[in-house]
Amino acid sequence: MIEGALNFFSSSPRQTRLVLTYNGRDITADISDYIESFSFTERARNGESDDLNITVENTTGIWSNSWFPERGATLTAQIITENWNQPNDYELLDCGSFEIDDLTDSGPVSTFSIGALSVGITSSIRGESRSQAWENFKFSGLVNEIAQRHGFDVFFDSDYDPVIDRFDQKNESDLEFLIKIAEYVGVNVRLSHNKIIVYQERLYDARAVSLTLSKNSDGFISHSFRASSADIYLACQVQFLDSKSGKLLTYQYTPNGRSGVIGKNDSNSSGGVKIDPVTRMVIPSASELSEQEKISEPRVGKTLKINRRCRNLAEAEQLAKSCLRGKNKREITGSLTYVGNLYLRAGLTIAINGFGVWDSSTWVIEEVTHSWSVSSGLETSISIRGVLGY
């Protein structure tokens, strides 16, 4: 059994175990005495996958010889903690199934590292290039066809499922092509444990806060936050052909509600939007300048211009919102590290406390790494971004 640091109950040492199977065989008892460190990283970013890394002691050379793992072999892993927050408690994190894709033998001191991904590295979905013309296809239909071709299940969680006129797959793997179309549509796609997962970040950002992380917690180790104005936009413009008038119109989306077709005097008009003709910067009104500043809203910013064909106003609006989100979601970011916390999972919406102005934002966990080493015990590090309101 791998042991971590003692907690405040002197008679109940905190303990961490990695339960591991290799091609369906439980190797936990065989491998435990060799483990020097391991980490499991779960990601909720477009096109990225989860991974598992294990480093073992290899002084005798056994891992370089009879125990040399097979690339493409299946690993399943579970992290178990005991006596962690109170005596006799028990928590289990099922990390899922992985395929070994990277083996590193190094020394001195002799160690052997095993890297594995949750995406099928032996599957043709990422390793085989194809060329195909796709016409008049529904996005969900594309997802289902690719999934069926490669034996994946589908989890589709998006209220936007447009019909796309044409897209050419040119010497690209199905995974590369699917990610490209997802970015075009404005949704996220990731492969995890033999499943294609499609979801809208906007829907996930709108979820209630699951928990609050505090700087004053006994388990707090470190933090980092960053606010950036580089490549951040206050509005997005999309040109589209109006089917009724036959005219080329420009729709502008701004998160503060001043959205609409520029130049049209209707209820959806952009109204008081002012754009500097030289810098293309949106000029805030006097009332906006007097508002209390928030971390997530810079006072000035550029207008993002998108040149893609849209079939109607609703499609132009969806495109403008998704493109603006794609650019602005990196505006405020952070990272936090705590003593091991198996409750923290990628995709959770959280609040924070004790970090000053950063507390004013709601955050979503984009990546979480549970790592253990002989010297540090179990730690959990998360990468977070500020939630956007659109």
Side-chain angles (χ1 to χ4, degrees), residues 202-272:
R202 175 181 60 81
L203 299 180
Y204 283 58
D205 284 2
R207 293 183 301 184
V209 170
S210 298
L211 53 87
T212 299
L213 295 178
S214 175
K215 188 177 182 179
N216 300 319
S217 167
D218 291 336
F220 172 74
I221 296 176
S222 64
H223 78 274
S224 175
F225 295 104
R226 181 172 183 258
S228 174
S229 297
D231 206 23
I232 300 300
Y233 297 83
L234 282 185
C236 179
Q237 289 182 2
V238 175
Q239 287 189 331
F240 69 100
L241 186 65
D242 185 14
S243 59
K244 294 182 179 179
S245 66
K247 295 181 179 180
L248 189 65
L249 302 178
T250 299
Y251 173 83
Q252 176 165 299
Y253 174 75
T254 55
N256 61 6
R258 299 172 301 159
S259 303
V261 176
I262 292 179
K264 291 185 69 176
N265 296 319
D266 57 20
S267 59
N268 291 323
S269 173
S270 55

Side-chain angles (χ1 to χ4, degrees), residues 2-44:
I2 304 167
E3 295 190 358
L6 294 180
N7 66 2
F8 49 86
F9 299 101
S10 58
S11 61
S12 304
R14 282 179 166 171
Q15 297 176 332
T16 306
R17 285 188 289 146
L18 180 67
V19 177
L20 201 66
T21 67
Y22 175 86
N23 281 342
R25 174 178 170 266
D26 191 336
I27 61 170
T28 305
D30 299 324
I31 195 176
S32 290
D33 290 341
Y34 290 90
I35 295 179
E36 293 191 347
S37 65
F38 67 80
S39 67
F40 162 58
T41 299
E42 184 182 38
R43 297 179 174 90

